[in-house]
Amino acid sequence: MPASRPKKPGDPLHPRASGPLRSFGRIKSRTIKPLQAALFGTLLPTIAVPDPKAGPVDPRLLMPEATEAWLEIGFGGGEHLAEQAAKNPNAVMIGCEPFLNGVASVLRHIDDRGLKNVRIHADDGRDVLNAIPDASLDRVMILFPDPWHKVRHNKRRLLNEETAAQIARVLKPGGRLRFVTDWKDYAGWALERLNRTPDLVWLANEADDWRIAPADHVVTRYEEKKLGDTAPLFLEFERA
């Protein structure tokens, strides 16, 4: 059996790579369709979030007329982000996704539906999260993040102590976090870290509160594939 390719120091999966561990896998798969590819040059520049590594990302400047600001980290194919944007036109919807096919998909949704309240960061959502000022967001949504379910890969999970603390920091008092996963171990992992994060309060009182989807949940194609080891588990937290 041939030896596996050695990881170089510049490789995001190399143990000595600089910066935070990458919480996502590949960034592109199949060829992007021409019409979607064209939107990268026409639509995306008009709705792109300013470079979060260059300075703060203030939601109030992204859409001054907005009455709320929501952030979705890892929007996948964008069906959920687009539907929430359509249902909540007064909220600026900040969506982050490094997977280029997902970005192509959401651009098509935005263009087809004429959505004016979506802003996109086509890269790691943690950069935007870190750049948002304190108490700026009404909602944060993390739906079906990569589970990294092998124990040796758990450290790559998006939801960790640092991310939980940043979420608590950027949420307004009364703001909500929704974390959804279809892996039991990840749900337990997330619950443990969120429960010990100051100022985040779990809203569940009984099992149905995490087993039954909230009324405004949008089912996506990914969810319908049922790739995890459990039905979706919904963890809702509020900023005290």
Side-chain angles (χ1 to χ4, degrees):
M1 179 179 295
S4 60
R5 178 183 65 85
K7 296 180 176 64
K8 300 178 181 179
D11 190 322
L13 297 181
H14 188 278
R16 295 194 301 276
S18 61
L21 289 171
R22 204 165 93 169
S23 64
F24 47 89
R26 60 186 179 175
I27 62 171
K28 186 174 182 290
S29 61
R30 65 187 182 278
T31 301
I32 296 173
K33 296 177 181 179
L35 289 178
Q36 293 179 338
L39 294 174
F40 277 86
T42 56
L43 177 58
L44 182 57
T46 69
I47 62 173
V49 172
D51 183 0
K53 294 181 180 180
V57 175
D58 190 337
R60 294 172 300 180
L61 301 180
L62 298 179
M63 182 178 165
E65 68 273 24
T67 58
E68 292 190 10
W70 297 22
L71 171 66
E72 182 170 355
I73 302 177
F75 56 70
E79 306 105 306
H80 176 269
L81 183 68
E83 184 65 19
Q84 293 289 9
K87 291 180 176 179
N88 299 275
N90 294 322
V92 57
M93 299 285 178
I94 307 169
C96 305
E97 176 59 59
F99 187 50
L100 296 182
N101 296 83
V103 177
S105 177
V106 81
L107 290 175
R108 177 179 57 81
H109 287 300
I110 294 168
D111 188 53
D112 288 348
R113 304 180 71 165
L115 301 173
K116 304 300 183 184
N117 59 328
V118 182
R119 303 293 180 267
I120 297 297
H121 178 63
D123 208 329
D124 193 335
R126 292 173 298 183
D127 293 334
V128 171
L129 183 65
N130 295 342
I132 291 177
D134 295 357
S136 294
L137 298 178
D138 296 274
R139 296 189 68 175
V140 174
M141 299 169 289
I142 303 175
L143 276 60
F144 304 102
D146 193 319
W148 294 104
H149 51 79
K150 293 182 180 179
V151 174
R152 69 179 184 273
H153 292 156
N154 284 176
K155 61 183 177 292
R156 298 189 182 280
R157 286 175 167 173
L158 172 64
L159 202 296
N160 55 29
E161 288 83 356
E162 180 181 354
T163 307
Q166 288 283 36
I167 290 170
R169 178 186 66 80
V170 301
L171 281 174
K172 300 175 183 178
R176 297 283 185 91
L177 163 67
R178 176 173 299 167
F179 178 87
V180 186
T181 182
D182 52 1
W183 288 89
K184 293 177 184 177
D185 176 67
Y186 202 174
W189 164 287
L191 189 58
E192 179 182 353
R193 284 151 181 79
L194 292 168
N195 268 333
R196 65 184 184 218
T197 300
D199 299 322
L200 287 182
V201 179
W202 192 24
L203 298 179
N205 294 310
E206 55 187 34
D208 280 355
D209 291 334
W210 65 81
R211 291 175 179 166
I212 297 177
D216 65 344
H217 176 62
V218 177
V219 177
T220 65
R221 287 178 295 171
Y222 175 86
E223 183 178 341
E224 291 175 339
K225 293 178 181 178
K226 301 181 180 180
L227 299 177
D229 62 0
T230 183
L233 301 172
F234 302 85
L235 306 183
E236 294 269 339
F237 280 76
E238 184 173 277
R239 174 67 161 82

